[in-house]
Amino acid sequence: MSQKSLHLRLGIVASLFALFLVFYAIPTYVFSPSNVGNIILSPKFWPYVLAGFTAIIGLGLLFNAVTSATDTPFEDEETGHPEGSAPWMRLGALGAIMVLVMVGLPLLGMVWTAMLAFAACAFLFRTRHPVAALVCAVIVPLLLYAFFAHVAGVAIPQGEFVRLP
């Protein structure tokens, strides 16, 4: 399979999926009260934003596939994995992280558990940027908490040990 055909296939699928979301799935399955004052707080706003981004990405892939001049094939991959059983070990560790997240949610709360899970996954998959991963592991859950708890007024589950303001 070449890069051009892959982009063409992914672009078609992403564009059709975005059309499905916009014209059928969101209007049918996402319910919104009529008295929502702020459009950002409407339950239908963010699904439409994500569907729009999906459409833009799909159209970008289609444009790239149509305008690319060369049809370069991907390099052949080896049939066996060079690391041996390491992928299965990582899969088991990811399962353990998921179990620990479920155990940690009631004790630590959603924000602290998300921070620890993000950092653990970043190091499990051997990120090339460990400092950036740690910074993101702390900042992204805190920003999401600040938005949902203080702007949107949604209660975020807190833990028993540390409570956020």
Side-chain angles (χ1 to χ4, degrees):
M1 179 182 295
S2 68
Q3 187 174 6
K4 185 175 182 177
S5 65
L6 179 66
H7 284 191
L8 184 66
R9 290 179 185 181
L10 286 175
I12 290 171
V13 168
S15 299
L16 291 176
F17 184 66
L19 288 174
F20 167 75
L21 287 175
V22 168
F23 292 115
Y24 179 71
I26 296 172
T28 304
Y29 296 109
V30 179
F31 301 105
S32 177
S34 60
N35 61 353
V36 176
N38 191 350
I39 192 168
I40 294 176
L41 299 179
S42 172
K44 289 189 175 188
F45 177 72
W46 291 108
Y48 277 122
V49 168
L50 292 175
F53 282 142
T54 304
I56 290 170
I57 289 169
L59 292 174
L61 285 168
L62 284 172
F63 179 76
N64 187 5
V66 170
T67 60
S68 64
T70 61
D71 198 18
T72 57
F74 289 116
E75 296 178 11
D76 291 333
E77 295 181 4
E78 297 179 17
T79 55
H81 200 280
E83 296 180 13
S85 65
W88 291 106
M89 298 288 284
R90 274 196 217 114
L91 186 62
L94 187 61
I97 289 172
M98 289 180 192
V99 169
L100 290 174
V101 164
M102 295 312 299
V103 170
L105 275 172
L107 297 173
L108 300 174
M110 187 173 284
V111 177
W112 295 100
T113 305
M115 288 180 192
L116 293 172
F118 193 114
C121 286
F123 289 109
L124 175 65
F125 295 113
R126 297 182 193 149
T127 180
R128 293 182 203 171
H129 310 286
V131 175
L134 279 179
V135 169
C136 288
V138 172
I139 290 177
V140 170
L142 281 178
L143 287 177
L144 288 172
Y145 168 76
F147 173 77
F148 283 107
H150 299 292
V151 176
V154 176
I156 302 296
Q158 297 284 327
E160 296 183 20
F161 297 118
V162 180
R163 298 240 176 222
L164 295 171

